Amino acid sequence: METDRRSEVILRRINPGTKYKDFYSWPDEELEEMESTLAIQQYIAQRVRADFTNLEGILELPLKVDVNVWNYEHLRQFCMQLNELCVMLQPVCNAETCSQMTATASWIFLCAVHKEPKECCAIDYIRHTLDGAANILNSNKYFPSRVNIKDSSVNKLPSTCRRVYRIFSHAYFHHKAIYDDFESRTLLCHRFDRWVKKFDLITPDLLIVPLDDNSDNRSDNSDGDGYATLINNSVIESPSYKVRP
């Protein structure tokens, strides 16, 4: 009987030497079955792995889950995935090519991680923003618990979201080929856009990246077929942008 119980135990563990294609090869778990303070993080990551195109399914708030904890864990997930985009940008985004953190001609962003906000080149801004977000989200002062979020700490989420979103906007307007490649494999900007609207974390006027499923921000070459078009017909082209003074 003891042997039978041992045989039913599923070890959710990536052992040294495991090939990438075999990562996470264990069965999915229901949230109620996850016995960990990191259950919400694990559940969100599981939803993303199962189908990254199912944006509503990933963002849907489960029953009995605190909305503040849900949003906190989603922001952590976004920041973790954005590290890949940062790495992809590094060969072409530097102090010479992108001396300022800009999006369109109307948007120049100051880096807020310094004692006094100041201009940084775009890639430094992106690194500083992700590092700053990690420092806040891992702060014992603001977020001492992963299962209960203080109301006073919730105010940190919108400002962090606004800064993180600028990474998408810079990539879209200045490194479109890299943005399209990354977005076709993750739909991260689409998911972020949908998430901040769903939970009122950013005002719509600040969401400047044109998305096919957003009629207010539709790009000139949008065919109206939603994000499925981006995945199936991702266009890889040479970046064409000018460094703005």
Side-chain angles (χ1 to χ4, degrees), residues 16 21 29 31 53 63 65 84 94 108 118 133 136 143 155 168 170 176 179 191 210 212 223 225 229:
K21 67 181 180 63
E29 269 187 304
L31 180 58
T53 67
L63 294 174
V65 172
E84 180 186 351
N94 52 58
I108 297 177
K118 67 176 186 178
I136 290 174
F143 301 102
N155 297 330
F168 291 116
H170 178 78
K176 187 64 162 48
Y179 169 89
R191 192 193 331 148
D212 291 339
D223 61 7
D225 194 29
T229 303

Side-chain angles (χ1 to χ4, degrees), residues 147-214:
V147 294
N148 291 293
I149 305 294
K150 298 182 295 183
D151 289 340
S152 59
S153 298
V154 174
N155 297 330
K156 294 289 180 183
L157 299 183
S159 59
T160 304
C161 288
R162 287 195 300 272
R163 295 185 183 110
V164 166
Y165 179 76
R166 294 165 187 170
I167 300 173
F168 291 116
S169 61
H170 178 78
Y172 179 88
F173 287 104
H174 296 284
H175 308 286
K176 187 64 162 48
I178 292 174
Y179 169 89
D180 283 345
D181 180 20
F182 177 77
E183 191 68 5
S184 70
R185 294 182 288 103
T186 65
L187 286 182
L188 200 65
C189 186
H190 284 74
R191 192 193 331 148
F192 193 95
D193 184 277
R194 190 81 60 91
W195 171 63
V196 295
K197 290 176 181 173
K198 185 181 182 73
F199 295 100
D200 296 320
L201 293 167
I202 298 181
T203 56
D205 60 299
L206 296 179
L207 301 173
I208 60 176
V209 175
L211 299 178
D212 291 339
D213 56 345
N214 183 343

